[in-house]
Amino acid sequence: MSDKKLFTFEETKQKLVNYCVYQDRCHAEVEQKMREFVLIPEAKEEILLYLMRENYLNEERFVRSYIRGKFYIKHWGKNKIKMHLKQKGITEKLTDKCFDEIDPDDYEKTLRRLIENYSDKISGMQDYKKKSKTITYLMGRGYEYDLITQGFET
């Protein structure tokens, strides 16, 4: 017997509602969660439609929430956020539309603060090496190369 859980249609639907209420989800996450349950394709479709109709599943709300969280809490840059959303099956058009969740001044200030903090952390090396390591670090965090280099000039 498989390790999939057996619930009635209504129980399954309620579990997926709870899953979406706990935290904003994207379609891919909900579809992944549905794989835990034994459902015929028609039931999956009906549950998905119900979740969207009742606004439990709202892709734009998910993207906006995701962008805010990853930037304001984890201090990720736009490139890293974009890449992770793409992995979740979110279109670039929707992602770009929702980037207005990040205030441009906040983005710049956060980048400058990250440059300062990281540079202070790796003191005791030559300036060019320090700058190179800092750029690599910030690109890994998803910040744009041209913005990083501008950040050094201010």
Side-chain angles (χ1 to χ4, degrees):
M1 171 113 187
S2 75
D3 56 354
K4 293 194 176 191
K5 302 171 186 123
L6 293 171
F7 295 102
T8 67
F9 175 77
E10 284 304 318
E11 287 171 335
T12 303
K13 188 164 91 173
Q14 189 55 51
K15 286 186 177 298
L16 289 161
V17 163
N18 294 344
Y19 181 67
C20 292
V21 166
Y22 175 72
Q23 178 182 316
D24 280 326
R25 308 284 181 184
C26 66
H27 289 291
E29 290 171 331
V30 172
E31 286 173 17
Q32 177 68 42
K33 184 75 175 165
M34 280 186 176
R35 291 189 194 106
E36 295 177 14
F37 303 100
V38 180
L39 289 169
I40 58 171
E42 291 82 358
K44 285 182 180 179
E45 197 61 34
E46 191 177 324
I47 290 173
L48 268 177
L49 287 171
Y50 171 78
L51 293 172
M52 288 186 286
R53 195 174 53 245
E54 299 299 318
N55 209 18
Y56 291 115
L57 183 57
N58 179 319
E59 202 97 300
E60 182 174 335
R61 186 181 62 218
F62 165 77
V63 172
R64 290 185 174 283
S65 166
Y66 190 89
I67 288 172
R68 279 192 312 272
K70 296 305 179 196
F71 174 69
Y72 286 102
I73 297 167
K74 292 199 176 249
H75 308 298
W76 286 5
K78 291 180 180 179
N79 290 338
K80 187 169 184 173
I81 293 171
K82 205 179 267 191
M83 185 180 65
H84 280 255
L85 285 169
K86 188 176 185 179
Q87 289 171 343
K88 291 180 177 294
I90 307 297
T91 64
E92 197 168 331
K93 187 178 176 187
L94 180 57
T95 301
D96 291 342
K97 175 186 172 193
C98 295
F99 266 129
D100 61 0
E101 288 295 318
I102 298 175
D103 180 274
D105 289 342
D106 290 347
Y107 197 72
E108 199 179 308
K109 284 178 199 154
T110 299
L111 178 57
R112 263 194 260 120
R113 196 176 66 244
L114 288 170
I115 289 172
E116 286 169 25
N117 291 349
Y118 191 75
S119 292
D120 291 347
K121 225 192 290 181
I122 58 168
S123 59
M125 45 175 89
Q126 294 157 321
D127 282 350
Y128 76 91
K129 187 158 186 168
K130 195 178 199 179
K131 185 175 180 178
S132 164
K133 278 183 88 81
T134 304
I135 289 171
T136 303
Y137 167 74
L138 290 167
M139 285 185 70
R141 303 255 348 209
Y143 288 89
E144 301 83 337
Y145 179 78
D146 54 334
L147 288 178
I148 296 168
T149 53
Q150 285 170 20
F152 278 105
E153 292 159 14
T154 53

